Amino acid sequence: MASTAPPREDLITEDDEQRPPLTRPLLHRSATNNISQVAMVGSKACPIESLDYEIIENDLFDQNWRTRAKADQVRYVVLKWTFCFAIGVITGVVGFLINLAVENVAGFKHAAVSSLMESSSYWTAFWVFAGANLALLLLATAITASVSPAAGGSGIPEVKAYLNGVDAPNIFSLRTLAVKVIGNIAAVSSSLHVGKAGPMVHTGACIAAIFGQGGSRRYGLTWRWLRYFKNDRDRRDLVTIGAGAGVSAAFRAPVGGVLFALESLSSWWRSALIWRSFFTTAVVAVVLRLFVELCGTGRCGMFGKGGLIMYDVSTLFEDLMTYHLKDIPIVVLIGVIGAVLGAFYNFLMIQVLRVYSVINERGRAHKLLLAAAVSVLTSCCVFGLPWFAPCRPCPAEPNATCGSLNKFRRFHCPPDHYNDLASLMLNINDDAIRNLYATGTNDVYHPGSMLAFFLASYVLGVLSYGVVAPSGLFVPIILTGATYGRLVAMLLGRHSNLDHGLVAILGSASFLGGTLRMTVSVCVIIVELTNNLLLLPLVMLVLLISKTVADSFNASIYDLIVRLKGLPYLDGHAEPYMRQLSVGDVVVGPLRSFNGVEKVGHIMHVLRTTGHHAFPVIDEPPFATAPVLYGLVLRAHLLVLLRKREFLPAQERYPKEYNIAARFEAQDFDKRGSGKQDTVDGVELSPEEMEMYIDLHPFTNASPYTVVETMSLAKALVLFREVGLRHLLVVPKACDRSPVVGILTRHDFMPEHILGLHPVLLGGRWKRLRWHKAAVGKYFRDLIVRLANCG
């Protein structure tokens, strides 16, 4: 949950009072910006900055581009594809290692519990099961809370916000990557109702972002060819590619990975990015295929043919995968119920996360206690509920023996019998989903067991995600949806001829559409998971219905989490009240600007007393006939100039013979890694240097994006988001005023800021079609009356 950070006040000094009126700090409004610039990243409050996607055009960078040889351009293109290949290979290897570790750690635990149950050591089996789960989850929570809090959760909200232009500290660091991998293995192996698909998206993004860091001075990796990607635009493309590779590694769905990054994560997409992303996901698929063939010979312990989340339903019982026109109403019903369940799931999830955030803010001990409580509850539920399930005789079909470790479990049942609820609960989520998707198994599960497992998975999925550990939502949602689909098929009975495995797949699709609100990417992922194109029409129909109905209740779970964390995400649409405001109505002061040739002491003072990251540069006599806007200079570039100490003794421009390229290189102004910011505290200057001057012209972006103060806020939002800006200069309508009215940043477009300045517009927020309790009750009563009359 976001916390409020009070803005630092700008101080008006004597130097400001002596400056010409047109270049004094302008207070366009007396209001201050109260919007929070601190958000929850993982389980820790962190300052939030924006990313610089805009291309800087100044004398130094223009000269650098002109001097680049053709070999540099070729090397840049080759490096792009080389990085894509390396990202695919590493992401594929990491994905395989995560699956290998989970299958063996969880498999060994379940094998030990099954062995103790067969020897009637029931209490010992429970303590072994609960103790192992507790130790694994505490390990995941401890390393996450101590080493890298940014690794908590799935990481998809942070990746989505980053690709929207929000920069948060440490979300892509090497420590976060290591904690994400180790913590996710431990959390999934602890029988917690979480998945590894979401963390794999974050893992792929971390791997890609590390390639975009441009080397490391700490470890001596500062080769010139690594510096081409030390800018936010190229890093954004690499992170997008890495996120798609993570989906491909999680589901062996290369096309689904590309579409997931396009539909759910990326705010800007280019055609060239599709090719590189598709190439990377294809590399991931090939790498995974090689490891699956390697492990098919039994060299990988308990990781065998069923690993890597693949639910192949096309090889057996193809006659059961058929459907007819009369089955469409049932499919529609599944979509509607899945939408309602998904919307309620999102509502409960946010309420639980609010409570968990209050607990987690109290310190590391409370995080561990919360994790321990959830682990004990999960262990008691998973181990205790199967005692109430009936024992069923083993199927008489060939190749369907009760000795199959991942399909049937005896639990406390006599020989040649199995416990259907234990077969689902005392298993990893991947094998449970595979069992539910299996065709020709209509009589394997009891309706009571399905109902108990659905309620347990629904509740545990809500309670498990907020624990401070790497955890995903995708796989638990698939499992819960598959259970609900099976339950619906059982309740329909003879009214439907659809196979229960097929209905389970449709249930997963409907629940995914009701929670995640994605259609195209989820549809392709499910088809790639099940390896059956016959499902495509039904899955498309279910997803469209579930998303449409669920949107009438609330937003997607990822959007809700982004808002809960306080990440300043810019939506693609403008709120209606934005058309009633101009950009001048939301610009707040004070505005600080610099002369084209500015005094060093004044620059140091402004940097120390403000948190602004860009400043207008205004030329005034004698450098211009009248005050005129020259451009925009970044705080990071000013810090470089101060450290270089290229000062002038008088207020004059650099002479023509001054060779900028000999004293500065473009790489001196390269952007640091994500979340890393230079500060003015490390700059120490003598009193004599403070009285000298800096010519800012060669280092100022001479072509910043500007809008007139009368432009509507909605139109400015479209420009700001589509171009991917960090700063948008507002210029006056009249020429007898200061050349700059103010600067719009991401936070100025946030509803909290706008409605705080203009609370009268609160009723003009965007209203989607929502269901109200009174209306739902009226429709329900009318339906009952009509049915009674028909009877």
Side-chain angles (χ1 to χ4, degrees), residues 594-599 617-630 648 650-655 693-697:
F594 293 128
N595 290 322
V597 180
E598 188 57 79
K599 192 175 183 179
V617 175
I618 299 176
D619 272 336
E620 58 184 50
F623 304 106
T625 57
V628 61
L629 173 65
Y630 183 82
L648 295 171
Q651 190 176 8
E652 58 187 12
R653 299 192 62 171
Y654 287 127
Y693 295 85
I694 299 180
D695 184 5
L696 301 178
H697 293 92

PDB file of all heavy atoms in Angstrom, residues 594-599 617-630 648 650-655 693-697:
ATOM      1  N   PHE A 594      16.921  27.328 -15.124  1.00  0.00           N
ATOM      2  CA  PHE A 594      18.302  27.804 -15.174  1.00  0.00           C
ATOM      3  C   PHE A 594      18.492  28.696 -16.391  1.00  0.00           C
ATOM      4  O   PHE A 594      17.795  28.552 -17.414  1.00  0.00           O
ATOM      5  CB  PHE A 594      19.290  26.630 -15.256  1.00  0.00           C
ATOM      6  CG  PHE A 594      19.329  25.782 -14.019  1.00  0.00           C
ATOM      7  CD1 PHE A 594      19.176  24.416 -14.101  1.00  0.00           C
ATOM      8  CD2 PHE A 594      19.528  26.349 -12.779  1.00  0.00           C
ATOM      9  CE1 PHE A 594      19.222  23.621 -12.976  1.00  0.00           C
ATOM     10  CE2 PHE A 594      19.571  25.570 -11.631  1.00  0.00           C
ATOM     11  CZ  PHE A 594      19.421  24.207 -11.734  1.00  0.00           C
ATOM     12  N   ASN A 595      19.467  29.592 -16.273  1.00  0.00           N
ATOM     13  CA  ASN A 595      19.907  30.358 -17.435  1.00  0.00           C
ATOM     14  C   ASN A 595      20.742  29.454 -18.341  1.00  0.00           C
ATOM     15  O   ASN A 595      21.245  28.407 -17.910  1.00  0.00           O
ATOM     16  CB  ASN A 595      20.744  31.560 -17.006  1.00  0.00           C
ATOM     17  CG  ASN A 595      19.898  32.617 -16.323  1.00  0.00           C
ATOM     18  OD1 ASN A 595      18.760  32.861 -16.718  1.00  0.00           O
ATOM     19  ND2 ASN A 595      20.461  33.248 -15.291  1.00  0.00           N
ATOM     20  N   GLY A 596      20.901  29.900 -19.585  1.00  0.00           N
ATOM     21  CA  GLY A 596      21.742  29.126 -20.499  1.00  0.00           C
ATOM     22  C   GLY A 596      23.164  29.000 -19.999  1.00  0.00           C
ATOM     23  O   GLY A 596      23.813  27.968 -20.185  1.00  0.00           O
ATOM     24  N   VAL A 597      23.673  30.047 -19.359  1.00  0.00           N
ATOM     25  CA  VAL A 597      24.966  30.008 -18.673  1.00  0.00           C
ATOM     26  C   VAL A 597      24.663  30.299 -17.210  1.00  0.00           C
ATOM     27  O   VAL A 597      24.320  31.431 -16.845  1.00  0.00           O
ATOM     28  CB  VAL A 597      25.950  31.028 -19.263  1.00  0.00           C
ATOM     29  CG1 VAL A 597      27.283  30.955 -18.513  1.00  0.00           C
ATOM     30  CG2 VAL A 597      26.158  30.799 -20.745  1.00  0.00           C
ATOM     31  N   GLU A 598      24.786  29.270 -16.381  1.00  0.00           N
ATOM     32  CA  GLU A 598      24.307  29.363 -15.006  1.00  0.00           C
ATOM     33  C   GLU A 598      25.465  29.289 -14.020  1.00  0.00           C
ATOM     34  O   GLU A 598      26.491  28.639 -14.267  1.00  0.00           O
ATOM     35  CB  GLU A 598      23.317  28.246 -14.728  1.00  0.00           C
ATOM     36  CG  GLU A 598      22.609  28.333 -13.398  1.00  0.00           C
ATOM     37  CD  GLU A 598      21.862  29.648 -13.222  1.00  0.00           C
ATOM     38  OE1 GLU A 598      20.755  29.782 -13.778  1.00  0.00           O
ATOM     39  OE2 GLU A 598      22.410  30.542 -12.538  1.00  0.00           O
ATOM     40  N   LYS A 599      25.260  29.944 -12.889  1.00  0.00           N
ATOM     41  CA  LYS A 599      26.250  29.951 -11.820  1.00  0.00           C
ATOM     42  C   LYS A 599      26.272  28.590 -11.130  1.00  0.00           C
ATOM     43  O   LYS A 599      25.231  27.993 -10.862  1.00  0.00           O
ATOM     44  CB  LYS A 599      25.906  31.048 -10.824  1.00  0.00           C
ATOM     45  CG  LYS A 599      26.989  31.357  -9.815  1.00  0.00           C
ATOM     46  CD  LYS A 599      26.588  32.540  -8.947  1.00  0.00           C
ATOM     47  CE  LYS A 599      27.680  32.912  -7.968  1.00  0.00           C
ATOM     48  NZ  LYS A 599      27.297  34.086  -7.126  1.00  0.00           N
ATOM     49  N   VAL A 617      15.795  25.328 -19.421  1.00  0.00           N
ATOM     50  CA  VAL A 617      16.919  26.227 -19.640  1.00  0.00           C
ATOM     51  C   VAL A 617      16.414  27.395 -20.472  1.00  0.00           C
ATOM     52  O   VAL A 617      15.906  27.203 -21.591  1.00  0.00           O
ATOM     53  CB  VAL A 617      18.074  25.509 -20.354  1.00  0.00           C
ATOM     54  CG1 VAL A 617      19.186  26.494 -20.691  1.00  0.00           C
ATOM     55  CG2 VAL A 617      18.604  24.383 -19.482  1.00  0.00           C
ATOM     56  N   ILE A 618      16.511  28.598 -19.921  1.00  0.00           N
ATOM     57  CA  ILE A 618      15.957  29.803 -20.550  1.00  0.00           C
ATOM     58  C   ILE A 618      17.092  30.760 -20.873  1.00  0.00           C
ATOM     59  O   ILE A 618      17.866  31.145 -19.989  1.00  0.00           O
ATOM     60  CB  ILE A 618      14.929  30.481 -19.622  1.00  0.00           C
ATOM     61  CG1 ILE A 618      13.765  29.517 -19.360  1.00  0.00           C
ATOM     62  CG2 ILE A 618      14.426  31.784 -20.229  1.00  0.00           C
ATOM     63  CD1 ILE A 618      12.740  30.051 -18.386  1.00  0.00           C
ATOM     64  N   ASP A 619      17.181  31.123 -22.149  1.00  0.00           N
ATOM     65  CA  ASP A 619      18.149  32.132 -22.576  1.00  0.00           C
ATOM     66  C   ASP A 619      17.538  33.511 -22.421  1.00  0.00           C
ATOM     67  O   ASP A 619      16.370  33.739 -22.754  1.00  0.00           O
ATOM     68  CB  ASP A 619      18.539  31.912 -24.038  1.00  0.00           C
ATOM     69  CG  ASP A 619      19.698  30.952 -24.177  1.00  0.00           C
ATOM     70  OD1 ASP A 619      20.466  30.821 -23.209  1.00  0.00           O
ATOM     71  OD2 ASP A 619      19.827  30.320 -25.245  1.00  0.00           O
ATOM     72  N   GLU A 620      18.337  34.425 -21.909  1.00  0.00           N
ATOM     73  CA  GLU A 620      17.903  35.808 -21.751  1.00  0.00           C
ATOM     74  C   GLU A 620      19.062  36.707 -22.130  1.00  0.00           C
ATOM     75  O   GLU A 620      20.185  36.231 -22.337  1.00  0.00           O
ATOM     76  CB  GLU A 620      17.451  36.064 -20.313  1.00  0.00           C
ATOM     77  CG  GLU A 620      18.518  35.769 -19.266  1.00  0.00           C
ATOM     78  CD  GLU A 620      17.984  35.952 -17.860  1.00  0.00           C
ATOM     79  OE1 GLU A 620      16.918  35.401 -17.565  1.00  0.00           O
ATOM     80  OE2 GLU A 620      18.653  36.650 -17.088  1.00  0.00           O
ATOM     81  N   PRO A 621      18.829  38.009 -22.316  1.00  0.00           N
ATOM     82  CA  PRO A 621      19.925  38.906 -22.723  1.00  0.00           C
ATOM     83  C   PRO A 621      21.138  38.738 -21.804  1.00  0.00           C
ATOM     84  O   PRO A 621      20.971  38.566 -20.591  1.00  0.00           O
ATOM     85  CB  PRO A 621      19.311  40.299 -22.589  1.00  0.00           C
ATOM     86  CG  PRO A 621      17.835  40.055 -22.761  1.00  0.00           C
ATOM     87  CD  PRO A 621      17.576  38.707 -22.153  1.00  0.00           C
ATOM     88  N   PRO A 622      22.341  38.696 -22.322  1.00  0.00           N
ATOM     89  CA  PRO A 622      22.733  39.043 -23.705  1.00  0.00           C
ATOM     90  C   PRO A 622      22.723  37.857 -24.678  1.00  0.00           C
ATOM     91  O   PRO A 622      23.124  38.028 -25.838  1.00  0.00           O
ATOM     92  CB  PRO A 622      24.157  39.561 -23.525  1.00  0.00           C
ATOM     93  CG  PRO A 622      24.677  38.728 -22.386  1.00  0.00           C
ATOM     94  CD  PRO A 622      23.511  38.516 -21.465  1.00  0.00           C
ATOM     95  N   PHE A 623      22.310  36.670 -24.241  1.00  0.00           N
ATOM     96  CA  PHE A 623      22.355  35.508 -25.124  1.00  0.00           C
ATOM     97  C   PHE A 623      21.124  35.433 -26.022  1.00  0.00           C
ATOM     98  O   PHE A 623      21.075  34.630 -26.953  1.00  0.00           O
ATOM     99  CB  PHE A 623      22.469  34.230 -24.292  1.00  0.00           C
ATOM    100  CG  PHE A 623      23.644  34.229 -23.361  1.00  0.00           C
ATOM    101  CD1 PHE A 623      23.476  34.395 -21.997  1.00  0.00           C
ATOM    102  CD2 PHE A 623      24.932  34.101 -23.847  1.00  0.00           C
ATOM    103  CE1 PHE A 623      24.560  34.414 -21.133  1.00  0.00           C
ATOM    104  CE2 PHE A 623      26.020  34.111 -22.990  1.00  0.00           C
ATOM    105  CZ  PHE A 623      25.846  34.277 -21.630  1.00  0.00           C
ATOM    106  N   ALA A 624      20.106  36.213 -25.767  1.00  0.00           N
ATOM    107  CA  ALA A 624      18.912  36.276 -26.599  1.00  0.00           C
ATOM    108  C   ALA A 624      18.305  37.653 -26.446  1.00  0.00           C
ATOM    109  O   ALA A 624      18.500  38.342 -25.422  1.00  0.00           O
ATOM    110  CB  ALA A 624      17.914  35.191 -26.200  1.00  0.00           C
ATOM    111  N   THR A 625      17.574  38.091 -27.463  1.00  0.00           N
ATOM    112  CA  THR A 625      16.966  39.428 -27.412  1.00  0.00           C
ATOM    113  C   THR A 625      15.869  39.510 -26.371  1.00  0.00           C
ATOM    114  O   THR A 625      15.584  40.582 -25.832  1.00  0.00           O
ATOM    115  CB  THR A 625      16.391  39.777 -28.790  1.00  0.00           C
ATOM    116  OG1 THR A 625      15.451  38.765 -29.173  1.00  0.00           O
ATOM    117  CG2 THR A 625      17.508  39.867 -29.824  1.00  0.00           C
ATOM    118  N   ALA A 626      15.218  38.385 -26.075  1.00  0.00           N
ATOM    119  CA  ALA A 626      14.171  38.308 -25.056  1.00  0.00           C
ATOM    120  C   ALA A 626      14.225  36.925 -24.443  1.00  0.00           C
ATOM    121  O   ALA A 626      14.776  35.987 -25.042  1.00  0.00           O
ATOM    122  CB  ALA A 626      12.789  38.579 -25.669  1.00  0.00           C
ATOM    123  N   PRO A 627      13.694  36.766 -23.238  1.00  0.00           N
ATOM    124  CA  PRO A 627      13.717  35.429 -22.629  1.00  0.00           C
ATOM    125  C   PRO A 627      13.040  34.404 -23.530  1.00  0.00           C
ATOM    126  O   PRO A 627      11.890  34.584 -23.956  1.00  0.00           O
ATOM    127  CB  PRO A 627      12.953  35.630 -21.320  1.00  0.00           C
ATOM    128  CG  PRO A 627      13.120  37.070 -21.013  1.00  0.00           C
ATOM    129  CD  PRO A 627      13.141  37.781 -22.326  1.00  0.00           C
ATOM    130  N   VAL A 628      13.747  33.334 -23.816  1.00  0.00           N
ATOM    131  CA  VAL A 628      13.238  32.303 -24.715  1.00  0.00           C
ATOM    132  C   VAL A 628      13.637  30.932 -24.178  1.00  0.00           C
ATOM    133  O   VAL A 628      14.719  30.765 -23.596  1.00  0.00           O
ATOM    134  CB  VAL A 628      13.792  32.507 -26.146  1.00  0.00           C
ATOM    135  CG1 VAL A 628      15.308  32.410 -26.158  1.00  0.00           C
ATOM    136  CG2 VAL A 628      13.183  31.506 -27.110  1.00  0.00           C
ATOM    137  N   LEU A 629      12.753  29.983 -24.355  1.00  0.00           N
ATOM    138  CA  LEU A 629      13.023  28.619 -23.904  1.00  0.00           C
ATOM    139  C   LEU A 629      14.036  27.969 -24.835  1.00  0.00           C
ATOM    140  O   LEU A 629      13.794  27.835 -26.038  1.00  0.00           O
ATOM    141  CB  LEU A 629      11.729  27.805 -23.884  1.00  0.00           C
ATOM    142  CG  LEU A 629      11.875  26.307 -23.592  1.00  0.00           C
ATOM    143  CD1 LEU A 629      12.387  26.083 -22.172  1.00  0.00           C
ATOM    144  CD2 LEU A 629      10.541  25.583 -23.796  1.00  0.00           C
ATOM    145  N   TYR A 630      15.165  27.561 -24.275  1.00  0.00           N
ATOM    146  CA  TYR A 630      16.178  26.878 -25.085  1.00  0.00           C
ATOM    147  C   TYR A 630      15.986  25.365 -25.074  1.00  0.00           C
ATOM    148  O   TYR A 630      16.179  24.697 -26.084  1.00  0.00           O
ATOM    149  CB  TYR A 630      17.580  27.229 -24.579  1.00  0.00           C
ATOM    150  CG  TYR A 630      18.669  26.611 -25.418  1.00  0.00           C
ATOM    151  CD1 TYR A 630      19.077  27.216 -26.608  1.00  0.00           C
ATOM    152  CD2 TYR A 630      19.295  25.413 -25.049  1.00  0.00           C
ATOM    153  CE1 TYR A 630      20.070  26.652 -27.398  1.00  0.00           C
ATOM    154  CE2 TYR A 630      20.284  24.843 -25.826  1.00  0.00           C
ATOM    155  CZ  TYR A 630      20.664  25.466 -27.006  1.00  0.00           C
ATOM    156  OH  TYR A 630      21.639  24.894 -27.797  1.00  0.00           O
ATOM    157  N   LEU A 648      33.489  27.817 -16.171  1.00  0.00           N
ATOM    158  CA  LEU A 648      33.953  29.049 -16.810  1.00  0.00           C
ATOM    159  C   LEU A 648      34.110  30.133 -15.752  1.00  0.00           C
ATOM    160  O   LEU A 648      33.300  30.233 -14.822  1.00  0.00           O
ATOM    161  CB  LEU A 648      32.939  29.499 -17.867  1.00  0.00           C
ATOM    162  CG  LEU A 648      32.760  28.573 -19.077  1.00  0.00           C
ATOM    163  CD1 LEU A 648      31.567  29.035 -19.905  1.00  0.00           C
ATOM    164  CD2 LEU A 648      34.015  28.549 -19.919  1.00  0.00           C
ATOM    165  N   ALA A 650      33.686  33.344 -16.121  1.00  0.00           N
ATOM    166  CA  ALA A 650      32.724  34.432 -16.291  1.00  0.00           C
ATOM    167  C   ALA A 650      31.452  33.886 -16.930  1.00  0.00           C
ATOM    168  O   ALA A 650      31.418  32.763 -17.459  1.00  0.00           O
ATOM    169  CB  ALA A 650      33.321  35.545 -17.155  1.00  0.00           C
ATOM    170  N   GLN A 651      30.381  34.694 -16.904  1.00  0.00           N
ATOM    171  CA  GLN A 651      29.101  34.281 -17.463  1.00  0.00           C
ATOM    172  C   GLN A 651      29.132  34.464 -18.978  1.00  0.00           C
ATOM    173  O   GLN A 651      28.656  35.456 -19.525  1.00  0.00           O
ATOM    174  CB  GLN A 651      27.956  35.082 -16.844  1.00  0.00           C
ATOM    175  CG  GLN A 651      26.580  34.547 -17.193  1.00  0.00           C
ATOM    176  CD  GLN A 651      25.482  35.295 -16.480  1.00  0.00           C
ATOM    177  OE1 GLN A 651      25.734  36.311 -15.838  1.00  0.00           O
ATOM    178  NE2 GLN A 651      24.257  34.809 -16.577  1.00  0.00           N
ATOM    179  N   GLU A 652      29.705  33.486 -19.660  1.00  0.00           N
ATOM    180  CA  GLU A 652      29.817  33.516 -21.105  1.00  0.00           C
ATOM    181  C   GLU A 652      29.769  32.094 -21.636  1.00  0.00           C
ATOM    182  O   GLU A 652      29.986  31.144 -20.895  1.00  0.00           O
ATOM    183  CB  GLU A 652      31.134  34.181 -21.512  1.00  0.00           C
ATOM    184  CG  GLU A 652      32.358  33.487 -20.933  1.00  0.00           C
ATOM    185  CD  GLU A 652      33.647  34.241 -21.208  1.00  0.00           C
ATOM    186  OE1 GLU A 652      33.556  35.406 -21.637  1.00  0.00           O
ATOM    187  OE2 GLU A 652      34.718  33.669 -20.978  1.00  0.00           O
ATOM    188  N   ARG A 653      29.482  31.957 -22.921  1.00  0.00           N
ATOM    189  CA  ARG A 653      29.373  30.646 -23.525  1.00  0.00           C
ATOM    190  C   ARG A 653      30.759  30.091 -23.823  1.00  0.00           C
ATOM    191  O   ARG A 653      31.761  30.814 -23.857  1.00  0.00           O
ATOM    192  CB  ARG A 653      28.535  30.712 -24.807  1.00  0.00           C
ATOM    193  CG  ARG A 653      27.111  31.181 -24.574  1.00  0.00           C
ATOM    194  CD  ARG A 653      26.243  30.957 -25.788  1.00  0.00           C
ATOM    195  NE  ARG A 653      26.144  29.541 -26.123  1.00  0.00           N
ATOM    196  CZ  ARG A 653      25.307  29.039 -27.032  1.00  0.00           C
ATOM    197  NH1 ARG A 653      24.474  29.862 -27.689  1.00  0.00           N
ATOM    198  NH2 ARG A 653      25.275  27.753 -27.290  1.00  0.00           N
ATOM    199  N   TYR A 654      30.820  28.781 -24.033  1.00  0.00           N
ATOM    200  CA  TYR A 654      32.085  28.174 -24.413  1.00  0.00           C
ATOM    201  C   TYR A 654      32.559  28.774 -25.733  1.00  0.00           C
ATOM    202  O   TYR A 654      31.744  28.999 -26.655  1.00  0.00           O
ATOM    203  CB  TYR A 654      31.928  26.659 -24.586  1.00  0.00           C
ATOM    204  CG  TYR A 654      31.765  25.893 -23.284  1.00  0.00           C
ATOM    205  CD1 TYR A 654      30.694  25.022 -23.108  1.00  0.00           C
ATOM    206  CD2 TYR A 654      32.681  26.035 -22.260  1.00  0.00           C
ATOM    207  CE1 TYR A 654      30.539  24.307 -21.932  1.00  0.00           C
ATOM    208  CE2 TYR A 654      32.539  25.327 -21.075  1.00  0.00           C
ATOM    209  CZ  TYR A 654      31.466  24.475 -20.914  1.00  0.00           C
ATOM    210  OH  TYR A 654      31.319  23.786 -19.739  1.00  0.00           O
ATOM    211  N   PRO A 655      33.841  29.043 -25.881  1.00  0.00           N
ATOM    212  CA  PRO A 655      34.332  29.591 -27.160  1.00  0.00           C
ATOM    213  C   PRO A 655      34.173  28.574 -28.286  1.00  0.00           C
ATOM    214  O   PRO A 655      34.009  27.376 -28.065  1.00  0.00           O
ATOM    215  CB  PRO A 655      35.817  29.882 -26.862  1.00  0.00           C
ATOM    216  CG  PRO A 655      36.157  29.020 -25.696  1.00  0.00           C
ATOM    217  CD  PRO A 655      34.904  28.905 -24.881  1.00  0.00           C
ATOM    218  N   TYR A 693      30.877  29.453 -13.498  1.00  0.00           N
ATOM    219  CA  TYR A 693      29.688  29.269 -14.327  1.00  0.00           C
ATOM    220  C   TYR A 693      29.826  28.016 -15.195  1.00  0.00           C
ATOM    221  O   TYR A 693      30.932  27.526 -15.445  1.00  0.00           O
ATOM    222  CB  TYR A 693      29.455  30.490 -15.224  1.00  0.00           C
ATOM    223  CG  TYR A 693      29.127  31.748 -14.460  1.00  0.00           C
ATOM    224  CD1 TYR A 693      30.137  32.563 -13.949  1.00  0.00           C
ATOM    225  CD2 TYR A 693      27.804  32.114 -14.238  1.00  0.00           C
ATOM    226  CE1 TYR A 693      29.846  33.715 -13.238  1.00  0.00           C
ATOM    227  CE2 TYR A 693      27.496  33.267 -13.524  1.00  0.00           C
ATOM    228  CZ  TYR A 693      28.510  34.053 -13.038  1.00  0.00           C
ATOM    229  OH  TYR A 693      28.223  35.202 -12.329  1.00  0.00           O
ATOM    230  N   ILE A 694      28.675  27.510 -15.652  1.00  0.00           N
ATOM    231  CA  ILE A 694      28.617  26.372 -16.576  1.00  0.00           C
ATOM    232  C   ILE A 694      27.751  26.765 -17.766  1.00  0.00           C
ATOM    233  O   ILE A 694      26.646  27.303 -17.587  1.00  0.00           O
ATOM    234  CB  ILE A 694      28.022  25.112 -15.912  1.00  0.00           C
ATOM    235  CG1 ILE A 694      28.869  24.660 -14.732  1.00  0.00           C
ATOM    236  CG2 ILE A 694      27.897  23.976 -16.925  1.00  0.00           C
ATOM    237  CD1 ILE A 694      28.314  23.418 -14.037  1.00  0.00           C
ATOM    238  N   ASP A 695      28.275  26.505 -18.949  1.00  0.00           N
ATOM    239  CA  ASP A 695      27.478  26.704 -20.162  1.00  0.00           C
ATOM    240  C   ASP A 695      26.652  25.441 -20.396  1.00  0.00           C
ATOM    241  O   ASP A 695      27.192  24.376 -20.720  1.00  0.00           O
ATOM    242  CB  ASP A 695      28.399  26.977 -21.348  1.00  0.00           C
ATOM    243  CG  ASP A 695      27.618  27.282 -22.618  1.00  0.00           C
ATOM    244  OD1 ASP A 695      26.371  27.368 -22.543  1.00  0.00           O
ATOM    245  OD2 ASP A 695      28.253  27.427 -23.684  1.00  0.00           O
ATOM    246  N   LEU A 696      25.332  25.557 -20.222  1.00  0.00           N
ATOM    247  CA  LEU A 696      24.447  24.391 -20.321  1.00  0.00           C
ATOM    248  C   LEU A 696      23.987  24.100 -21.744  1.00  0.00           C
ATOM    249  O   LEU A 696      23.356  23.058 -21.983  1.00  0.00           O
ATOM    250  CB  LEU A 696      23.213  24.602 -19.433  1.00  0.00           C
ATOM    251  CG  LEU A 696      23.474  24.814 -17.938  1.00  0.00           C
ATOM    252  CD1 LEU A 696      22.151  25.045 -17.211  1.00  0.00           C
ATOM    253  CD2 LEU A 696      24.206  23.624 -17.340  1.00  0.00           C
ATOM    254  N   HIS A 697      24.262  24.970 -22.689  1.00  0.00           N
ATOM    255  CA  HIS A 697      23.727  24.798 -24.035  1.00  0.00           C
ATOM    256  C   HIS A 697      24.124  23.487 -24.699  1.00  0.00           C
ATOM    257  O   HIS A 697      23.266  22.804 -25.281  1.00  0.00           O
ATOM    258  CB  HIS A 697      24.153  25.982 -24.915  1.00  0.00           C
ATOM    259  CG  HIS A 697      23.546  27.292 -24.515  1.00  0.00           C
ATOM    260  ND1 HIS A 697      24.174  28.155 -23.629  1.00  0.00           N
ATOM    261  CD2 HIS A 697      22.371  27.881 -24.841  1.00  0.00           C
ATOM    262  CE1 HIS A 697      23.415  29.225 -23.462  1.00  0.00           C
ATOM    263  NE2 HIS A 697      22.311  29.094 -24.176  1.00  0.00           N
TER     264      HIS A 697
END
